[in-house]
Amino acid sequence: MNEPLNILPQYKILPEPKLLFRDSNIDTHPLRGLTNYGPYSASLGFPNEVRLAYFAPSDSLKKLDSIIVELNSSAIPKEALNYYLQYDGFQNIFRIPLVEPDNNLRFEAPEECVKYARARDGDKLVDIIMHSIGKILKERHSFDVLLLYLPETWKNSFEYEGFNLHDRIKAKVAPIGLTIQIINDVAFERNCRANVMWGLSVALYTKAGGIPWKLADLNKDEAYIGLSYAIKKLREGNEYTTCCSQVFDPDGTGFEFVAYDTKEYETDSRGNPYLRYQEMQFVLSRSLLLYQGSHGGRVPKKIFIHKTSHFTDEEIQGAFDAFSDGTEVELIQVVRGTNWYGLKFDKSGRRIIPANYPVDRGIYQPISKTECLLWTQGSVMDVNVANSSRPVFKEASLKPLPSPIMLRRFSGQGGWHDTCSSVLALTKVDWNNNTLYKTMPATLVYSKVFADIVKQAPEIVNEIYDYRFFM
């Protein structure tokens, strides 16, 4: 930087991103918007119901019944009362019924599952589960989402070195087009039932093809790509990397994934992979085709590409050559951990005193020509359902001061407003949770999820997958 750190450009504050619900109604609070207006895709007429199937040990099928009873009932929140609303039941919120399965859609897990789980033989356990799911596919036309219960008696095989049961199952069912909701005992044991029901209901609605909400203000001529990497080893010990690309657009049709095995790459001292020119060009050219496939061949006027590591010169050149001159390319490294903090002060007469709440979410502070701090955590006004005059600081119970993320720009023109606005908005479209926002944008949240799952099944490459298979 050319200037000392005590002389920084003026900071700016972005408004909390707005969300669209049924009939173009707008709210900044996702659960309040669902309660008051209904989900966005209700205006489009889909889905018109959410039909369930079960897969669980025979003595646990009734536990899944109890979850459905709760989903169709109401629950009063006991945690984060400034944010969570009363859960009013699935049909009241989503305006469609949640249909519990008939007897022919209640599938029992084979007894051998317990044996392999206790023996810590995750591969055999998955084989048995997938064999059973093969039978379930005969009834695929009769249900939308499969509830798959992993009981505590299988915990010995939930996760160990080189194996993750949750991710392995997701990786196996994606290629056969099956959306599943994995349930474990946490769903039955958490004290705040409203919290659990909000999370499960949003996830089930989304996995059945619904769009709970979408972003109101993103530019429809722009698209967003998140890149993550999965380092894998062959049996003979050789390593290679798979680049996982996730494309999102503001129309609500985004969140599509594709993974590519890349042979030409290098790693830094921390093991982060960096692609050679041709590999980066290929990855992004395929990502562009993915976008065009759902947009009638149209090319975005601007594309933002996010990853958590820096862009090398070869990656930058490969990215530019993947797009035509009519598309502006902005390359952004998103760094989650920084040593920066912000303190908020108020005026009291002539005195300056510490504020009662932390800095506002949405503040961005340029610190150089290529770096900007963005507070994706912080105080948010107009979402407090208990006291509308007070803000909500979601992380208050974990830490007193919100941390900013660092945006480091490797290409792109103009100021930081559009870049920060898009990243802030993308923290609100993770439909696999019920919170107000995530710290990182969905481009990177989901591409990392995809990369973690790809590690469990190296064969799922070069095919396009809807993100719903990996939620």
Side-chain angles (χ1 to χ4, degrees):
M1 283 186 284
N2 296 324
E3 304 215 356
L5 286 177
N6 63 342
I7 304 176
L8 292 174
Q10 184 177 2
Y11 72 87
K12 302 287 180 64
I13 302 179
L14 298 167
E16 183 64 17
K18 296 177 182 176
L19 305 174
L20 277 178
F21 297 90
R22 187 180 65 168
D23 298 332
S24 298
N25 284 290
I26 290 176
D27 202 330
T28 55
H29 190 306
L31 308 186
R32 185 172 62 195
L34 286 174
T35 298
N36 291 340
Y37 309 119
Y40 173 79
S41 59
S43 302
L44 308 176
F46 68 85
N48 56 17
E49 61 181 354
V50 176
R51 303 165 302 164
L52 301 176
Y54 291 171
F55 179 85
S58 58
D59 59 353
S60 300
L61 290 170
K62 289 185 178 180
K63 295 187 74 170
L64 294 181
D65 282 333
S66 70
I67 283 283
I68 306 310
V69 169
E70 285 192 272
L71 283 165
N72 284 322
S73 305
S74 60
I76 297 173
K78 297 180 180 180
E79 301 171 356
L81 302 182
N82 60 354
Y83 171 72
Y84 284 108
L85 289 82
Q86 176 173 310
Y87 176 80
D88 288 329
F90 191 93
Q91 182 149 358
N92 289 331
I93 294 168
F94 295 95
R95 279 63 170 177
I96 59 172
L98 180 67
V99 183
E100 61 182 291
D102 296 329
N103 288 334
N104 64 316
L105 294 175
R106 301 161 67 91
F107 299 94
E108 297 181 5
E111 294 182 1
E112 296 98 315
C113 288
V114 176
K115 178 180 71 174
Y116 291 124
R118 288 176 176 170
R120 209 176 179 80
D121 192 340
D123 291 327
K124 286 282 183 64
L125 177 59
V126 171
D127 286 344
I128 292 291
I129 291 172
M130 291 306 300
H131 180 73
S132 299
I133 285 178
K135 300 175 183 177
I136 295 173
L137 288 178
K138 296 177 182 178
E139 302 293 336
R140 184 67 184 90
H141 64 284
S142 301
F143 67 93
D144 302 301
V145 184
L146 174 68
L147 292 190
L148 193 154
Y149 174 52
L150 302 180
E152 191 69 10
T153 53
W154 298 4
K155 68 178 180 180
N156 206 35
S157 288
F158 281 178
E159 186 173 2
Y160 53 85
E161 185 177 358
F163 181 83
N164 182 297
L165 181 59
H166 176 281
D167 289 354
R168 183 70 63 87
I169 292 172
K170 294 275 186 176
K172 291 292 186 181
V173 300
I176 59 178
L178 187 63
T179 50
I180 64 173
Q181 175 64 51
I182 293 179
I183 303 285
N184 57 34
D185 285 293
V186 173
F188 301 98
E189 295 168 356
R190 285 201 62 170
N191 183 49
C192 182
R193 305 312 297 164
N195 183 319
V196 175
M197 294 306 113
W198 273 116
L200 274 177
S201 64
V202 172
L204 289 173
Y205 181 80
T206 305
K207 291 177 182 185
I211 303 172
W213 58 82
K214 60 180 285 189
L215 296 169
D217 297 325
L218 283 188
N219 190 327
K220 292 187 176 183
D221 290 324
E222 298 176 349
Y224 310 86
I225 294 177
L227 299 179
S228 289
Y229 301 97
I231 301 292
K232 297 177 290 187
K233 283 188 177 181
L234 299 174
R235 289 184 177 179
E236 56 270 25
N238 296 328
E239 285 190 345
Y240 66 101
T241 186
T242 295
C243 180
C244 302
S245 173
Q246 181 260 312
V247 181
F248 173 80
D249 72 272
D251 295 328
T253 58
F255 288 149
E256 294 174 302
F257 294 104
V258 66
Y260 319 89
D261 282 342
T262 56
K263 305 301 182 185
E264 298 183 20
Y265 69 96
E266 58 184 2
T267 58
D268 61 17
S269 59
R270 296 182 178 181
N272 295 314
Y274 299 91
L275 302 186
R276 299 293 189 186
Y277 164 82
Q278 289 184 334
E279 297 283 18
M280 178 61 88
Q281 184 187 32
F282 176 74
V283 163
L284 293 179
S285 295
R286 289 291 304 274
S287 300
L288 176 61
L289 289 174
L290 197 158
Y291 174 90
Q292 289 178 295
S294 57
H295 291 81
R298 178 167 59 89
V299 176
K301 292 182 179 179
K302 185 172 184 177
I303 193 149
F304 296 84
I305 301 171
H306 299 155
K307 70 187 186 98
T308 57
S309 56
H310 72 270
F311 289 83
T312 65
D313 290 341
E314 284 195 66
E315 288 180 327
I316 293 170
Q317 191 60 52
F320 273 97
D321 289 350
F323 302 97
S324 66
D325 293 339
T327 299
E328 181 183 352
V329 178
E330 185 159 312
L331 304 174
I332 301 293
Q333 179 188 6
V334 183
V335 182
R336 179 164 187 160
T338 73
N339 293 323
W340 290 80
Y341 289 96
L343 300 177
K344 186 176 182 180
F345 293 88
D346 289 334
K347 285 186 178 180
S348 177
R350 295 183 178 181
R351 294 190 307 150
I352 302 295
I353 61 174
N356 291 326
Y357 286 87
V359 297
D360 297 332
R361 167 172 144 89
I363 285 179
Y364 67 92
Q365 173 66 69
I367 58 175
S368 75
K369 291 182 179 179
T370 59
E371 294 179 328
C372 184
L373 301 174
L374 171 64
W375 273 261
T376 57
Q377 301 175 354
S379 299
V380 183
M381 288 299 299
D382 301 322
V383 295
N384 191 321
V385 296
N387 188 335
S388 59
S389 65
R390 292 186 177 183
V392 169
F393 174 38
K394 184 168 74 74
E395 291 82 10
S397 61
L398 301 175
K399 57 183 178 180
L401 292 176
S403 303
I405 61 174
M406 169 85 77
L407 305 182
R408 186 171 289 127
R409 190 158 58 187
F410 287 79
S411 74
Q413 301 176 352
W416 286 98
H417 182 275
D418 289 347
T419 302
C420 292
S421 293
S422 62
V423 170
L424 191 70
L426 288 167
T427 64
K428 297 194 71 164
V429 282
D430 179 359
W431 295 322
N432 203 27
N433 76 91
N434 55 24
T435 59
L436 181 60
Y437 58 79
K438 299 294 282 288
T439 299
M440 297 288 276
T443 43
L444 294 177
V445 170
Y446 276 110
S447 59
K448 183 183 183 304
V449 167
F450 188 37
D452 289 342
I453 290 175
V454 165
K455 291 178 184 178
Q456 298 293 320
E459 66 274 11
I460 59 169
V461 295
N462 298 322
E463 297 293 335
I464 297 171
Y465 296 102
D466 189 285
Y467 75 101
R468 291 175 172 86
F469 295 132
F470 303 100
M471 287 178 60

